[in-house]
Amino acid sequence: MERVLAKAAEVLIIEASGDELDRTDAARIVLSGKEIAELARLLAVVDGGTADRCLCLGWPTILVLDVTGRELARWTLHHQTAIRGLGSCDAELRDGAGLTGWLAEHGLTGSREVQQMLARQAVENEERRVQWVKAAPPTLVRAAKAASRRETGAEERLADLVARRYPDALERIRALASWAGFPPRHTTTTGGTPWYELAPQRLLLAEPTESIFNAMASASLTPDQLDGAAELFTSLEWTRSQRAEIPESLRSLLIAHVTATGTDPMKFRMRNGYGAERIA
């Protein structure tokens, strides 16, 4: 990279991906002389380190030009922590934060804004992870924490522990249903549901259909358990498996509960799932 920049007469940095360089609203700067040397220092990468995180094109785009205007290289930044265009994958920057600050000082503030947004999202996601662990049945908290951190084999250990702590199928299903109701009530600005949060639902889906219906009918259900049942019966895994029809009494109970207290996504799934015929 230093060798390429040493040959550069001009470097153009554009706050856009490689396929949007002609955008008129994309901020851009032109570097020459000492500024190119400063950029070379900030673009130092970790030897042998890769940071191939995603398939997005990345931005901003860095165009390296010689004295004739010929393009010597084209690089893009990924997540402001890695650079693409050097080889078959991203190369991790030694000082991504330093580069972000330097770009902002030169008028390209997009990278700094993205970093600030990602930091806020990280805080939100961590708060949500902690809440999910707290929502687990007390005897499962430690295993839930490991699963939330995506530790190797953690979900398998969680499943084993659930079976040991709740040998009675009806009690087990109700406990899992209460926990499975967490996602629709706890959202973040990034949207979506983390994979680990669906662990209780995956465990419920492994239970026999008859046992699930019996558990839901054998005692008064709490709001959390109703949330979990509503999520279970609208999951693709449930609907695609063509399980037995939900008992009418349970169906009516869920419709009343979600209609009265459900989030907009819960109501949408209800209208297009178990509540479709009743609400049409």
Side-chain angles (χ1 to χ4, degrees), residues 53-194:
R53 294 188 176 187
C54 69
L55 298 177
C56 69
L57 296 177
W59 66 275
T61 299
I62 302 172
L63 300 178
V64 184
L65 311 174
D66 66 12
V67 292
T68 68
R70 180 173 64 93
E71 186 175 307
L72 300 176
R74 178 178 299 207
W75 305 318
T76 56
L77 298 182
H78 271 206
H79 306 275
Q80 284 57 54
T81 59
I83 188 166
R84 175 170 293 184
L86 304 178
S88 60
C89 61
D90 295 355
E92 183 181 355
L93 293 169
R94 291 186 179 180
D95 188 11
L99 176 60
T100 293
W102 186 86
L103 289 172
E105 290 172 2
H106 285 72
L108 299 184
T109 59
S111 292
R112 183 173 64 188
E113 291 165 0
V114 167
Q115 287 299 303
Q116 291 171 342
M117 177 191 70
L118 292 174
R120 290 193 297 270
Q121 290 176 352
V123 170
E124 282 187 358
N125 292 335
E126 176 59 14
E127 288 176 347
R128 175 169 173 164
R129 187 193 67 79
V130 170
Q131 289 176 330
W132 182 79
V133 171
K134 288 182 178 179
T139 58
L140 304 179
V141 167
R142 182 175 296 182
K145 184 180 294 186
S148 73
R149 296 189 184 284
R150 305 295 295 272
E151 294 179 9
T152 302
E155 189 164 330
E156 290 77 6
R157 293 193 296 274
L158 174 62
D160 289 342
L161 185 60
V162 167
R164 293 200 307 272
R165 297 293 188 184
Y166 297 94
D168 180 78
L170 302 187
E171 183 185 4
R172 180 172 65 248
I173 289 168
R174 287 195 293 269
L176 289 172
S178 181
W179 195 15
F182 178 92
R185 302 288 184 177
H186 299 77
T187 58
T188 58
T189 56
T190 55
T193 301

Side-chain angles (χ1 to χ4, degrees), residues 8 13 36 85 90-91 100 119 154 163 171 194 213 226 228 232 240 271:
I13 306 180
I36 295 179
D90 295 355
T100 293
E171 183 185 4
F213 291 156
L226 288 169
L232 175 66
R240 286 178 176 174
R271 289 193 296 267

